[in-house]
């Protein structure tokens, strides 16, 4: 765009019309610097700001805006789109990092993981599929008599300082004494806690009743949930019956006058039990001494039923033959070795 020297002179002297001022402003925006011959430094310094008539300011602004915004907007939108693209890339990378990077577990989780790595926990489930009672021994030495169709689950080893088992059905428990590690039986929302005692828990699938009968010692029976809460301490000869439909608890004298001693059970049941545990049970049942080297029995296990009507000699001979061991009768009892 070319503007005459006369029009520029009128502009700097404040004598231009609004249309002429707009023309000169567009020209000045297009050039980098004003030619020296048009206006001297002294004249520039003496030039005063042009005073526009009232009402013309807004008119000039709108005209300038119309001429300039059409060029500014495309550039501005290009910048906005570029910035938005960068933001989307950054957000996408952040989300990808969240999905792929595994968060660091809390301290408590770390401790639990370390414990599991050093001492792995496996769940064991035992079901009595027979029509008669079966005897088994827990890792802590406690004895359990499983009634037909009963199921018992527990962790190997017992978790932390608790000895916890989960029962479905009916079982008799003779708990090894350990004041520092409570023994807890969970059955259909009811927990029975003992330190060293004997009791029977009945929690059948098709029954609304859960029953706890105490034979020796003391037990704490409780339930704590949003539906029902109770806590009862039983003494020998007492039984607790909880009605899960009516949420009602009744403690009364036990209907069972006598409990058959454990040593009168006619059969022992083992499922992948170590030979050390098997021999320990046989020593208790037959009141004999069985000597062996633990190194010889390492990684040896036994699964099956042992009829206690058989002689101990016959039983040991069968176990020794299955595991390619030698059974020797001694003055003090029996010796098992490779």
């Amino acid at each position: 765009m070319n503007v005459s020297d006369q029009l520029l002179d009128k502009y700097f002297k404040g004598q231009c019309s609004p249309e002429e001022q707009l023309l000169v402003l567009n020209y000045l925006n297009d050039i980098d610097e004003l030619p020296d011959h048009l206006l001297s430094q002294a004249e520039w310094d003496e030039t005063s700001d042009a005073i526009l008539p009232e009402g013309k300011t807004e008119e000039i602004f709108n005209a300038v805006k119309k001429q300039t915004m059409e060029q500014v907007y495309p550039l501005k939108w290009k910048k906005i789109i570029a910035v938005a693209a960068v933001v989307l890339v950054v957000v996408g990378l952040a989300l990808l990092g969240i999905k792929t990077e595994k968060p660091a577990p809390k301290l408590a989780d770390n401790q639990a993981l370390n414990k599991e790595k050093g001492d792995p926990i496996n769940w064991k489930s035992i079901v009595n599929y027979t029509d008669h009672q079966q005897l088994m021994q827990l890792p802590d030495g406690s004895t359990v008599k499983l009634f037909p169709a009963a199921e018992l689950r527990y962790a190997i080893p017992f978790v932390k300082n608790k000895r916890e088992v989960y029962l479905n059905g009916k079982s008799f428990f003779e708990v090894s004494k350990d004041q520092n590690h409570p023994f807890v039986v969970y059955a259909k929302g009811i927990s029975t806690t003992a330190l060293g005692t004997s009791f029977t828990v009945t929690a059948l699938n098709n029954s609304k009743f859960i029953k706890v009968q105490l034979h020796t010692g003391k037990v704490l029976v409780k339930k704590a949930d949003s539906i029902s809460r109770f806590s009862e301490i039983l003494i020998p000869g007492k039984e607790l019956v909880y009605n899960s439909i009516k949420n009602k608890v009744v403690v009364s004298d036990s209907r069972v006058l006598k409990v058959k001693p454990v040593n009168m059970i006619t059969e022992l049941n083992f499922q992948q039990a170590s030979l050390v545990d098997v021999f320990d049970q046989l020593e208790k049942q037959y009141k004999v001494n069985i000597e062996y080297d633990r190194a010889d029995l390492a990684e040896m296990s036994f699964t099956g039923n042992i009829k206690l009507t058989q002689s101990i000699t016959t039983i040991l001979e069968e176990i020794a033959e299955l595991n390619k061991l030698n059974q020797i009768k001694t003055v003090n009892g029996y010796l098992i070795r490779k």
Side-chain angles (χ1 to χ4, degrees):
M1 176 188 298
N2 293 322
V3 175
S4 65
D5 294 345
Q6 290 80 7
L7 184 56
L8 288 172
D9 183 60
K10 285 176 64 178
Y11 173 79
F12 289 118
K13 291 181 179 181
Q15 297 174 355
C16 287
S17 65
E19 292 78 6
E20 291 174 333
Q21 287 193 21
L22 179 58
L23 185 61
V24 174
L25 284 174
N26 288 334
Y27 168 74
L28 294 176
N29 286 331
D30 290 338
I31 64 175
D32 295 331
E33 66 179 50
L34 194 66
D36 294 337
H37 71 278
L38 294 179
L39 188 66
S40 65
Q41 183 66 38
E43 289 176 323
W44 175 266
D45 295 336
E46 292 175 359
T47 301
S48 59
D49 293 335
I51 300 176
L52 296 177
E54 248 178 68
K56 291 294 184 179
T57 303
E58 186 175 353
E59 181 181 346
I60 295 173
F61 173 76
N62 291 333
V64 174
K65 179 179 178 183
K66 183 178 180 181
Q67 293 291 328
T68 58
M69 291 303 290
E70 293 179 355
Q71 299 177 357
V72 173
Y73 279 152
L75 179 59
K76 182 181 293 184
W77 279 110
K78 289 181 181 178
K79 291 182 178 179
I80 292 174
I81 293 172
V83 172
V86 173
V87 171
L88 288 176
V89 171
V90 173
V91 172
L93 290 175
L95 291 176
L96 183 60
I98 291 174
K99 291 182 179 180
T100 57
E101 183 178 353
K102 184 177 180 181
K106 298 178 181 178
L107 178 59
D109 296 336
N110 279 331
Q111 293 175 346
L113 290 173
N114 290 337
K115 186 181 188 308
E116 291 179 0
K117 289 181 181 180
D119 193 8
I121 297 174
N122 298 312
W123 285 94
K124 186 172 184 178
S125 177
I126 298 177
V127 182
N128 183 358
Y129 293 106
T130 69
D131 57 356
H132 54 271
Q133 301 168 15
Q134 291 184 342
L135 184 68
M136 59 169 292
Q137 189 176 44
L138 295 177
D140 68 328
S142 297
T143 303
V144 181
K145 180 171 65 176
L146 289 176
F147 285 70
E151 178 184 9
L152 195 70
R153 292 191 308 113
Y154 56 92
I156 301 176
F158 283 134
V159 180
K160 295 183 180 179
N161 294 328
K162 294 182 179 180
R163 298 177 289 170
E164 297 179 324
V165 298
Y166 298 84
L167 172 68
N168 182 17
K170 180 178 180 180
S171 291
F172 166 82
F173 297 87
E174 186 169 28
V175 181
S176 297
K177 292 184 179 181
D178 189 342
Q179 299 293 328
N180 298 322
H181 302 89
F183 186 95
V184 185
V185 178
Y186 295 98
K188 298 180 71 172
I190 303 295
S191 66
T192 303
T193 304
L195 294 177
T197 183
S198 60
F199 57 93
T200 300
V201 178
T202 305
L204 305 178
N205 276 333
N206 57 355
S207 175
K208 64 182 178 180
F209 297 105
I210 298 96
K211 182 188 298 183
V212 179
Q213 298 167 303
L214 182 63
H215 311 303
T216 60
K218 289 183 179 181
V219 293
L220 172 64
V221 184
K222 66 178 181 178
K223 179 179 176 65
D225 57 26
S226 58
I227 299 176
S228 175
R229 294 175 179 270
F230 68 82
S231 180
E232 297 285 348
I233 295 178
L234 301 184
I235 60 176
K238 295 291 182 180
E239 74 174 18
L240 179 147
V241 178
Y242 171 65
N243 187 325
S244 60
I245 302 298
K246 297 182 179 180
N247 293 320
K248 184 178 179 181
V249 179
V250 176
V251 178
S252 60
D253 292 334
S254 178
R255 298 175 186 176
V256 180
L257 299 179
K258 293 183 180 180
V259 177
K260 189 176 181 180
V262 174
N263 58 8
M264 292 184 65
I265 296 174
T266 60
E267 183 177 290
L268 293 178
N269 175 261
F270 298 98
Q271 293 187 11
Q272 293 184 340
S274 68
L275 285 188
V276 173
D277 292 337
V278 174
F279 290 153
D280 287 347
Q281 282 293 306
L282 291 175
E283 283 182 322
K284 292 178 181 179
Q285 296 297 326
Y286 285 91
K287 309 298 182 185
V288 297
N289 180 42
I290 303 175
E291 298 181 2
Y292 51 85
D293 186 343
R294 287 180 175 267
D296 291 343
L297 307 183
E299 300 182 358
M300 292 185 181
S301 62
F302 176 79
T303 297
N305 299 329
I306 296 178
K307 302 285 187 181
L308 298 182
T309 54
Q310 302 178 85
S311 67
I312 184 64
T313 301
T314 301
I315 294 173
L316 292 178
E317 284 178 352
E318 291 179 356
I319 295 176
E321 184 177 352
L322 286 173
N323 293 277
K324 297 181 179 180
L325 298 171
N326 295 315
Q327 179 261 108
I328 302 173
K329 183 72 172 67
T330 65
V331 176
N332 298 322
Y334 294 87
L335 173 64
I336 305 296
R337 68 182 184 185
K338 285 188 175 181

